[in-house]
Amino acid sequence: MRNFSLKMNNFTALIKKTLVMNRYNGITLDEFIILKEKDYPDAKGNLSKLLRDIGVASKVINREVNKAGLVDILGAAGKTNIQDEEQQKLDVFANNMLINYLKNGGQCTGIGSEENEDVIVVDTPDGHQAHYVVLMDPLDGSSNIDINASIGTIFSIYKRKSPVGPCNLEDFLQEGNKLVAAGYVIYGSSTMMVYSTGNGVNGFTLDPSIGEFCLSHPDITTPDTGKYYAVNQSNYAFFPEHTRRYIDWLVNEKRKGLRYIGSMVGDMHRTLLQGGIFMYPATTSSPQGKLRLLYECIPMAFLMQQAGGRASDGHQEIMDIVPQELHQRSPIYIGSTRLLKRVDQFVEKYSEAIS
Ligand code: P6P
């Protein structure tokens, strides 16, 4: 009986997606954003314009990423970013491109970027009036640029808390539950934008022949389990006991496969579409993990929640964490609900006594 109902659910989901595809077949990102604006009665088009600005900037970044192997924009730009990581020239290009489009688009009052130590205040009359702040990792996974593996742009959008005028840091330090929108662009075998404004997750593939993102993955939902887990296994000995035992369970009892690209956008895209779990746990040398809360963990947690999955730091939901600093890090366990539930059980059973 369970198999029959599972088959019926899959069949219904397929029919639903086919109907959506037929209805929206070939719709571009711009058309879709404007169409979906009707879901928000008080929408004035500002968020739609901001999302379109990010879409245009990512098309320009995509053009440079695609030719990176041909022209001299590979290799380090000779500087290091706030994370003390060597900045690749494409990192710098992507950061500057997004900042320019956001500043000139008139919908953004401030920007927090992985590449900049402090927030960027859009100190113009439009910027003072704008409603939204954007947090971003302009080119995540940039260490993969030279080996042609997937890299991506990750973004979060919040409504400002401060009144009209120059924004301030408090506008950025907001929990994930306050997000207005979030998404990523993955520059891989094809270039896709995946985003949500809190009403489901949709994916758009860039059609180079017309230079438009077109709806290709309507209403993305994450299965409640999956075949793969993704973690940097070389850190195994340095994970907390609960995580080591959880990984042992995944491998020895559930026979899950390991898939790890080393680029969060690539690993998350697979997990979002196919289910499974992505982890970047705390280690003895990095007790807060490596990934940044505001522009890596929270936007991905938002998308995963919207797609029916979950994300925690091992003890609390990522979406509930109130950020204290712009570049703070957080451990993250994110993916299918049934696999996250098991994380909770292993943490409860094997958490080291809090010293
Ligand atoms: P490690 C890329 O540098 C990144 O910030 C994420 O995209 C990725 O998930 C993680 O770091 C990989 O880190 O330590 O496994 O190389």
Side-chain angles (χ1 to χ4, degrees), residues 144-191:
N144 284 317
I145 291 173
D146 294 0
I147 56 153
N148 213 5
S150 299
I151 52 180
T153 297
I154 309 173
F155 62 90
S156 284
I157 302 174
Y158 290 97
K159 268 214 164 190
R160 70 185 301 171
K161 293 165 67 175
S162 57
V164 168
C167 66
N168 60 51
L169 185 58
E170 291 316 303
D171 290 315
F172 296 85
L173 301 183
Q174 300 188 55
E175 62 184 85
N177 294 315
K178 300 285 193 325
L179 271 176
V180 170
Y184 60 81
V185 180
I186 180 167
Y187 310 102
S189 49
S190 63
T191 296

Short mmCIF file of all heavy atoms in Angstrom, two decimals, residues 144-191:
data_model
loop_
_atom_site.label_atom_id
_atom_site.label_comp_id
_atom_site.label_asym_id
_atom_site.label_seq_id
_atom_site.Cartn_x
_atom_site.Cartn_y
_atom_site.Cartn_z
N ASN A 144 37.62 26.82 -7.19
CA ASN A 144 37.34 25.83 -8.25
C ASN A 144 37.42 26.42 -9.64
O ASN A 144 37.23 25.72 -10.63
CB ASN A 144 35.93 25.25 -8.04
CG ASN A 144 35.91 24.25 -6.89
OD1 ASN A 144 36.80 23.43 -6.77
ND2 ASN A 144 34.91 24.35 -6.05
N ILE A 145 37.67 27.75 -9.72
CA ILE A 145 37.63 28.42 -11.04
C ILE A 145 38.61 27.74 -12.01
O ILE A 145 38.24 27.34 -13.11
CB ILE A 145 37.99 29.92 -10.91
CG1 ILE A 145 36.88 30.67 -10.18
CG2 ILE A 145 38.24 30.54 -12.28
CD1 ILE A 145 37.22 32.11 -9.85
N ASP A 146 39.85 27.55 -11.53
CA ASP A 146 40.89 27.05 -12.45
C ASP A 146 40.66 25.62 -12.88
O ASP A 146 41.23 25.17 -13.87
CB ASP A 146 42.27 27.15 -11.75
CG ASP A 146 42.67 28.60 -11.52
OD1 ASP A 146 41.86 29.48 -11.90
OD2 ASP A 146 43.74 28.83 -10.95
N ILE A 147 39.82 24.85 -12.14
CA ILE A 147 39.60 23.45 -12.56
C ILE A 147 38.21 23.31 -13.20
O ILE A 147 37.72 22.20 -13.37
CB ILE A 147 39.73 22.48 -11.36
CG1 ILE A 147 38.76 22.88 -10.23
CG2 ILE A 147 41.16 22.48 -10.86
CD1 ILE A 147 38.34 21.74 -9.37
N ASN A 148 37.57 24.46 -13.49
CA ASN A 148 36.32 24.43 -14.26
C ASN A 148 35.19 23.67 -13.55
O ASN A 148 34.34 23.08 -14.20
CB ASN A 148 36.58 23.78 -15.64
CG ASN A 148 35.68 24.43 -16.69
OD1 ASN A 148 34.96 25.39 -16.38
ND2 ASN A 148 35.69 23.89 -17.89
N ALA A 149 35.23 23.67 -12.22
CA ALA A 149 34.12 23.05 -11.47
C ALA A 149 33.08 24.13 -11.16
O ALA A 149 33.37 25.32 -11.25
CB ALA A 149 34.65 22.45 -10.16
N SER A 150 31.86 23.70 -10.81
CA SER A 150 30.77 24.67 -10.58
C SER A 150 31.16 25.70 -9.53
O SER A 150 31.73 25.38 -8.50
CB SER A 150 29.51 23.94 -10.07
OG SER A 150 29.07 23.03 -11.04
N ILE A 151 30.82 26.96 -9.83
CA ILE A 151 30.95 28.05 -8.85
C ILE A 151 29.63 28.81 -8.86
O ILE A 151 28.75 28.52 -9.69
CB ILE A 151 32.14 28.98 -9.21
CG1 ILE A 151 32.04 29.47 -10.65
CG2 ILE A 151 33.47 28.28 -8.97
CD1 ILE A 151 33.18 30.39 -11.05
N GLY A 152 29.47 29.76 -7.94
CA GLY A 152 28.16 30.41 -7.92
C GLY A 152 28.11 31.71 -7.16
O GLY A 152 29.03 32.06 -6.42
N THR A 153 27.02 32.42 -7.37
CA THR A 153 26.71 33.66 -6.65
C THR A 153 25.57 33.34 -5.69
O THR A 153 24.60 32.68 -6.08
CB THR A 153 26.24 34.74 -7.64
OG1 THR A 153 27.31 35.04 -8.55
CG2 THR A 153 25.81 36.01 -6.92
N ILE A 154 25.71 33.75 -4.42
CA ILE A 154 24.65 33.51 -3.44
C ILE A 154 24.17 34.86 -2.92
O ILE A 154 25.00 35.75 -2.67
CB ILE A 154 25.15 32.68 -2.25
CG1 ILE A 154 25.88 31.42 -2.72
CG2 ILE A 154 23.99 32.29 -1.31
CD1 ILE A 154 26.57 30.62 -1.60
N PHE A 155 22.83 35.05 -2.80
CA PHE A 155 22.34 36.36 -2.33
C PHE A 155 21.15 36.20 -1.39
O PHE A 155 20.38 35.24 -1.49
CB PHE A 155 21.96 37.26 -3.51
CG PHE A 155 20.85 36.72 -4.38
CD1 PHE A 155 19.52 37.04 -4.09
CD2 PHE A 155 21.12 35.90 -5.46
CE1 PHE A 155 18.48 36.56 -4.88
CE2 PHE A 155 20.08 35.40 -6.26
CZ PHE A 155 18.77 35.73 -5.97
N SER A 156 21.05 37.17 -0.48
CA SER A 156 19.92 37.28 0.45
C SER A 156 19.39 38.71 0.36
O SER A 156 20.19 39.64 0.20
CB SER A 156 20.38 37.08 1.89
OG SER A 156 20.62 35.76 2.18
N ILE A 157 18.08 38.87 0.52
CA ILE A 157 17.49 40.21 0.48
C ILE A 157 16.61 40.40 1.71
O ILE A 157 15.72 39.58 1.97
CB ILE A 157 16.65 40.41 -0.80
CG1 ILE A 157 17.50 40.20 -2.06
CG2 ILE A 157 16.02 41.81 -0.80
CD1 ILE A 157 16.72 40.24 -3.36
N TYR A 158 16.90 41.46 2.49
CA TYR A 158 16.07 41.82 3.64
C TYR A 158 15.48 43.21 3.42
O TYR A 158 16.08 44.05 2.74
CB TYR A 158 16.92 41.90 4.92
CG TYR A 158 17.45 40.60 5.45
CD1 TYR A 158 18.75 40.20 5.13
CD2 TYR A 158 16.69 39.79 6.29
CE1 TYR A 158 19.26 39.00 5.63
CE2 TYR A 158 17.21 38.60 6.80
CZ TYR A 158 18.49 38.22 6.46
OH TYR A 158 19.01 37.05 6.96
N LYS A 159 14.33 43.46 4.05
CA LYS A 159 13.81 44.84 4.12
C LYS A 159 14.64 45.56 5.18
O LYS A 159 14.94 44.98 6.23
CB LYS A 159 12.34 44.82 4.55
CG LYS A 159 11.37 44.80 3.39
CD LYS A 159 10.10 45.58 3.69
CE LYS A 159 9.36 45.86 2.40
NZ LYS A 159 8.26 46.79 2.54
N ARG A 160 15.00 46.80 4.89
CA ARG A 160 15.76 47.57 5.89
C ARG A 160 14.92 47.77 7.15
O ARG A 160 13.69 47.82 7.09
CB ARG A 160 16.17 48.91 5.30
CG ARG A 160 15.03 49.87 5.10
CD ARG A 160 15.45 51.15 4.42
NE ARG A 160 16.49 51.86 5.17
CZ ARG A 160 17.15 52.92 4.69
NH1 ARG A 160 16.91 53.35 3.47
NH2 ARG A 160 18.07 53.52 5.41
N LYS A 161 15.59 47.88 8.30
CA LYS A 161 14.91 48.20 9.57
C LYS A 161 14.99 49.71 9.85
O LYS A 161 14.12 50.27 10.51
CB LYS A 161 15.57 47.43 10.72
CG LYS A 161 15.39 45.91 10.63
CD LYS A 161 16.34 45.15 11.55
CE LYS A 161 16.08 45.37 13.01
NZ LYS A 161 17.00 44.49 13.85
N SER A 162 16.06 50.34 9.34
CA SER A 162 16.29 51.77 9.65
C SER A 162 15.35 52.64 8.81
O SER A 162 14.86 52.20 7.77
CB SER A 162 17.75 52.12 9.33
OG SER A 162 18.02 51.82 7.95
N PRO A 163 15.12 53.87 9.28
CA PRO A 163 14.26 54.78 8.51
C PRO A 163 14.99 55.27 7.26
O PRO A 163 16.17 54.96 7.05
CB PRO A 163 14.00 55.93 9.50
CG PRO A 163 15.17 55.91 10.41
CD PRO A 163 15.60 54.47 10.53
N VAL A 164 14.32 56.07 6.47
CA VAL A 164 14.91 56.63 5.25
C VAL A 164 16.24 57.31 5.59
O VAL A 164 16.40 57.91 6.65
CB VAL A 164 13.92 57.67 4.64
CG1 VAL A 164 14.60 58.49 3.55
CG2 VAL A 164 12.71 56.93 4.07
N GLY A 165 17.22 57.12 4.73
CA GLY A 165 18.55 57.71 4.93
C GLY A 165 19.60 56.63 4.75
O GLY A 165 19.30 55.54 4.26
N PRO A 166 20.84 56.91 5.17
CA PRO A 166 21.90 55.90 5.04
C PRO A 166 21.58 54.68 5.90
O PRO A 166 21.15 54.83 7.04
CB PRO A 166 23.15 56.62 5.56
CG PRO A 166 22.82 58.08 5.51
CD PRO A 166 21.33 58.19 5.73
N CYS A 167 21.77 53.49 5.35
CA CYS A 167 21.49 52.26 6.13
C CYS A 167 22.59 52.07 7.17
O CYS A 167 23.61 52.76 7.16
CB CYS A 167 21.43 51.06 5.19
SG CYS A 167 23.00 50.66 4.39
N ASN A 168 22.37 51.11 8.08
CA ASN A 168 23.41 50.81 9.08
C ASN A 168 23.52 49.31 9.27
O ASN A 168 22.73 48.53 8.72
CB ASN A 168 23.09 51.53 10.40
CG ASN A 168 21.75 51.09 10.96
OD1 ASN A 168 21.49 49.90 11.10
ND2 ASN A 168 20.87 52.05 11.22
N LEU A 169 24.47 48.87 10.08
CA LEU A 169 24.77 47.44 10.24
C LEU A 169 23.56 46.66 10.73
O LEU A 169 23.35 45.51 10.32
CB LEU A 169 25.95 47.27 11.23
CG LEU A 169 26.49 45.84 11.43
CD1 LEU A 169 26.94 45.22 10.10
CD2 LEU A 169 27.64 45.84 12.43
N GLU A 170 22.73 47.27 11.55
CA GLU A 170 21.54 46.56 12.08
C GLU A 170 20.61 46.11 10.95
O GLU A 170 19.87 45.13 11.08
CB GLU A 170 20.76 47.46 13.05
CG GLU A 170 21.51 47.74 14.37
CD GLU A 170 22.16 46.49 14.95
OE1 GLU A 170 21.43 45.50 15.19
OE2 GLU A 170 23.40 46.48 15.12
N ASP A 171 20.63 46.84 9.83
CA ASP A 171 19.78 46.44 8.69
C ASP A 171 20.18 45.08 8.13
O ASP A 171 19.39 44.40 7.47
CB ASP A 171 19.87 47.49 7.58
CG ASP A 171 19.20 48.81 7.95
OD1 ASP A 171 18.08 48.75 8.49
OD2 ASP A 171 19.82 49.87 7.72
N PHE A 172 21.43 44.67 8.41
CA PHE A 172 21.97 43.43 7.84
C PHE A 172 21.91 42.27 8.83
O PHE A 172 21.79 41.11 8.45
CB PHE A 172 23.44 43.65 7.40
CG PHE A 172 23.59 44.66 6.30
CD1 PHE A 172 23.69 46.02 6.59
CD2 PHE A 172 23.62 44.25 4.97
CE1 PHE A 172 23.82 46.95 5.57
CE2 PHE A 172 23.76 45.19 3.94
CZ PHE A 172 23.85 46.54 4.24
N LEU A 173 22.01 42.57 10.12
CA LEU A 173 22.10 41.51 11.14
C LEU A 173 20.70 41.00 11.49
O LEU A 173 20.24 41.11 12.63
CB LEU A 173 22.83 42.02 12.38
CG LEU A 173 24.27 42.53 12.14
CD1 LEU A 173 24.91 42.94 13.45
CD2 LEU A 173 25.11 41.47 11.42
N GLN A 174 20.02 40.41 10.50
CA GLN A 174 18.65 39.94 10.71
C GLN A 174 18.59 38.41 10.54
O GLN A 174 19.27 37.85 9.68
CB GLN A 174 17.70 40.60 9.72
CG GLN A 174 17.64 42.13 9.82
CD GLN A 174 16.54 42.71 8.97
OE1 GLN A 174 15.36 42.31 9.10
NE2 GLN A 174 16.87 43.65 8.09
N GLU A 175 17.75 37.75 11.34
CA GLU A 175 17.62 36.29 11.24
C GLU A 175 16.98 35.88 9.92
O GLU A 175 16.29 36.69 9.27
CB GLU A 175 16.79 35.79 12.42
CG GLU A 175 15.39 36.34 12.44
CD GLU A 175 14.60 35.90 13.68
OE1 GLU A 175 14.74 36.57 14.70
OE2 GLU A 175 13.88 34.89 13.57
N GLY A 176 17.16 34.62 9.59
CA GLY A 176 16.65 34.13 8.30
C GLY A 176 15.15 34.22 8.17
O GLY A 176 14.63 34.40 7.07
N ASN A 177 14.44 34.16 9.33
CA ASN A 177 12.96 34.24 9.25
C ASN A 177 12.49 35.60 8.75
O ASN A 177 11.32 35.77 8.41
CB ASN A 177 12.36 33.97 10.63
CG ASN A 177 12.62 32.54 11.07
OD1 ASN A 177 12.46 31.61 10.26
ND2 ASN A 177 13.08 32.35 12.30
N LYS A 178 13.43 36.61 8.74
CA LYS A 178 13.02 37.94 8.28
C LYS A 178 13.33 38.13 6.78
O LYS A 178 13.07 39.20 6.22
CB LYS A 178 13.77 39.02 9.08
CG LYS A 178 13.53 39.00 10.58
CD LYS A 178 12.18 39.55 10.92
CE LYS A 178 11.95 39.88 12.40
NZ LYS A 178 12.58 39.00 13.38
N LEU A 179 13.88 37.10 6.13
CA LEU A 179 14.26 37.24 4.72
C LEU A 179 13.05 37.58 3.85
O LEU A 179 11.95 37.07 4.06
CB LEU A 179 14.85 35.92 4.22
CG LEU A 179 16.36 35.73 4.37
CD1 LEU A 179 16.75 34.34 3.91
CD2 LEU A 179 17.11 36.77 3.57
N VAL A 180 13.28 38.40 2.84
CA VAL A 180 12.26 38.71 1.84
C VAL A 180 12.45 37.81 0.63
O VAL A 180 11.51 37.34 0.00
CB VAL A 180 12.37 40.19 1.41
CG1 VAL A 180 11.50 40.48 0.22
CG2 VAL A 180 12.05 41.10 2.58
N ALA A 181 13.72 37.54 0.30
CA ALA A 181 14.04 36.68 -0.84
C ALA A 181 15.47 36.18 -0.69
O ALA A 181 16.27 36.80 0.03
CB ALA A 181 13.88 37.44 -2.16
N ALA A 182 15.78 35.09 -1.38
CA ALA A 182 17.16 34.60 -1.41
C ALA A 182 17.30 33.68 -2.61
O ALA A 182 16.30 33.16 -3.13
CB ALA A 182 17.51 33.86 -0.11
N GLY A 183 18.54 33.50 -3.03
CA GLY A 183 18.74 32.62 -4.18
C GLY A 183 20.21 32.44 -4.50
O GLY A 183 21.08 32.95 -3.78
N TYR A 184 20.45 31.71 -5.55
CA TYR A 184 21.83 31.56 -6.04
C TYR A 184 21.82 31.45 -7.56
O TYR A 184 20.78 31.14 -8.17
CB TYR A 184 22.54 30.34 -5.43
CG TYR A 184 21.90 28.98 -5.68
CD1 TYR A 184 22.11 28.30 -6.89
CD2 TYR A 184 21.10 28.38 -4.73
CE1 TYR A 184 21.54 27.06 -7.12
CE2 TYR A 184 20.51 27.14 -4.95
CZ TYR A 184 20.74 26.49 -6.16
OH TYR A 184 20.16 25.26 -6.38
N VAL A 185 22.97 31.74 -8.13
CA VAL A 185 23.20 31.49 -9.56
C VAL A 185 24.35 30.47 -9.61
O VAL A 185 25.38 30.67 -8.96
CB VAL A 185 23.60 32.77 -10.32
CG1 VAL A 185 23.82 32.47 -11.81
CG2 VAL A 185 22.54 33.85 -10.14
N ILE A 186 24.14 29.37 -10.31
CA ILE A 186 25.20 28.37 -10.44
C ILE A 186 25.73 28.42 -11.86
O ILE A 186 24.98 28.37 -12.84
CB ILE A 186 24.69 26.95 -10.07
CG1 ILE A 186 25.82 25.92 -10.21
CG2 ILE A 186 23.44 26.56 -10.84
CD1 ILE A 186 25.52 24.58 -9.58
N TYR A 187 27.06 28.64 -11.94
CA TYR A 187 27.75 28.69 -13.24
C TYR A 187 28.38 27.31 -13.43
O TYR A 187 29.47 27.03 -12.94
CB TYR A 187 28.82 29.78 -13.24
CG TYR A 187 28.30 31.12 -12.76
CD1 TYR A 187 28.57 31.56 -11.45
CD2 TYR A 187 27.52 31.94 -13.57
CE1 TYR A 187 28.08 32.77 -10.99
CE2 TYR A 187 27.03 33.16 -13.11
CZ TYR A 187 27.30 33.56 -11.81
OH TYR A 187 26.82 34.76 -11.34
N GLY A 188 27.61 26.42 -14.06
CA GLY A 188 28.08 25.03 -14.19
C GLY A 188 27.95 24.56 -15.63
O GLY A 188 28.16 25.34 -16.55
N SER A 189 27.53 23.30 -15.82
CA SER A 189 27.37 22.78 -17.19
C SER A 189 26.34 23.64 -17.93
O SER A 189 26.38 23.83 -19.12
CB SER A 189 26.93 21.32 -17.14
OG SER A 189 25.83 21.18 -16.26
N SER A 190 25.39 24.18 -17.16
CA SER A 190 24.57 25.28 -17.68
C SER A 190 24.51 26.31 -16.56
O SER A 190 24.91 26.02 -15.42
CB SER A 190 23.17 24.81 -18.05
OG SER A 190 22.51 24.35 -16.89
N THR A 191 24.04 27.51 -16.88
CA THR A 191 23.95 28.55 -15.85
C THR A 191 22.50 28.67 -15.42
O THR A 191 21.62 28.78 -16.28
CB THR A 191 24.47 29.89 -16.40
OG1 THR A 191 25.87 29.72 -16.70
CG2 THR A 191 24.31 31.00 -15.39
#
